[in-house]
Amino acid sequence: MKDTPTLDQAITAIADLEQQVQAAQDAIATEHRKANLTMRVVLVLLACMVLANLQFVYMLTAEFRTVVKDMVAMYEHFGRVADRMDVMTTYIQAMEQDMRLMPVMREQMTLMSADVANMSGNMANMTRDMGNMQQQVGTMDNGMGSMSQRFHNLNSNVGSMGRNVGDMADTVP
């Protein structure tokens, strides 16, 4: 009769052990589901951030195009101003010859002619600088296009990573 209580105790101990094992497996399964959900949420957030960055790069590129267009318009305007300054310099030189009889006016006109010549030189320098700026902005535009392509590749890689993580999550028991 001693064997019966010991056998009952063993069966009870095995049943308790089975319950503990089942509870542990349920806890592991719950943690696994939580981990999978967390990974999916993180990947979705990362994808949203990548899309937002791509939108910002697109907007920045559009703004650079507008700036370049406005700079070209300014460059053309400065060219017209420089041409007009050259014409004005010619007229002032002609007036100077006509004013030789009036010494005070002649001195003032000489100073004005020098100022206009100086301004014309400055306008030529500005025209050259605007050309350099236009070239640099064009280089920046090319760089922005390259960045946009890299973000597109990054977005593709993140999508692939998401699929790989999903595949890995499906294989975990």
Side-chain angles (χ1 to χ4, degrees):
M1 295 261 165
K2 283 186 175 180
D3 289 344
T4 303
T6 306
L7 184 58
D8 288 339
Q9 288 175 351
I11 290 173
T12 305
I14 289 173
D16 288 344
L17 181 61
E18 284 180 10
Q19 288 177 352
Q20 289 174 357
V21 167
Q22 185 62 39
Q25 285 178 343
D26 291 344
I28 288 171
T30 302
E31 291 299 320
H32 178 71
R33 284 191 300 275
K34 287 180 184 177
N36 282 341
L37 180 61
T38 302
M39 285 191 307
R40 287 183 179 129
V41 167
V42 167
L43 287 175
V44 166
L45 290 175
L46 183 61
C48 290
M49 288 175 59
V50 166
L51 290 175
N53 281 338
L54 285 175
Q55 178 64 26
F56 290 142
V57 167
Y58 175 76
M59 289 170 36
L60 184 62
T61 302
E63 289 297 322
F64 273 121
R65 287 184 184 132
T66 302
V67 168
V68 168
K69 186 173 78 175
D70 291 345
M71 291 177 87
V72 167
M74 269 180 46
Y75 173 75
E76 290 170 355
H77 179 70
F78 282 137
R80 288 190 300 270
V81 170
D83 291 342
R84 289 178 184 164
M85 287 295 197
D86 289 340
V87 170
M88 285 176 60
T89 301
T90 303
Y91 286 138
I92 289 173
Q93 288 171 351
M95 286 174 59
E96 182 182 349
Q97 291 176 359
D98 293 338
M99 295 289 184
R100 289 186 191 258
L101 298 175
M102 296 184 221
V104 173
M105 290 181 80
R106 181 174 182 258
E107 289 175 8
Q108 292 175 351
M109 293 307 285
T110 302
L111 292 175
M112 283 177 59
S113 178
D115 288 343
V116 168
N118 189 23
M119 287 172 61
S120 180
N122 290 338
M123 291 303 291
N125 290 338
M126 286 174 64
T127 300
R128 185 186 70 245
D129 292 343
M130 288 301 293
N132 291 339
M133 287 173 63
Q134 183 179 5
Q135 182 181 7
Q136 291 172 355
V137 168
T139 301
M140 287 172 59
D141 191 30
N142 289 340
M144 294 306 274
S146 176
M147 281 177 56
S148 177
Q149 182 61 37
R150 288 179 185 165
F151 273 111
H152 177 70
N153 290 340
L154 176 65
N155 192 24
S156 175
N157 289 339
V158 167
S160 295
M161 286 173 55
R163 285 190 298 278
N164 291 341
V165 168
D167 291 343
M168 288 189 310
D170 290 342
T171 59
V172 174

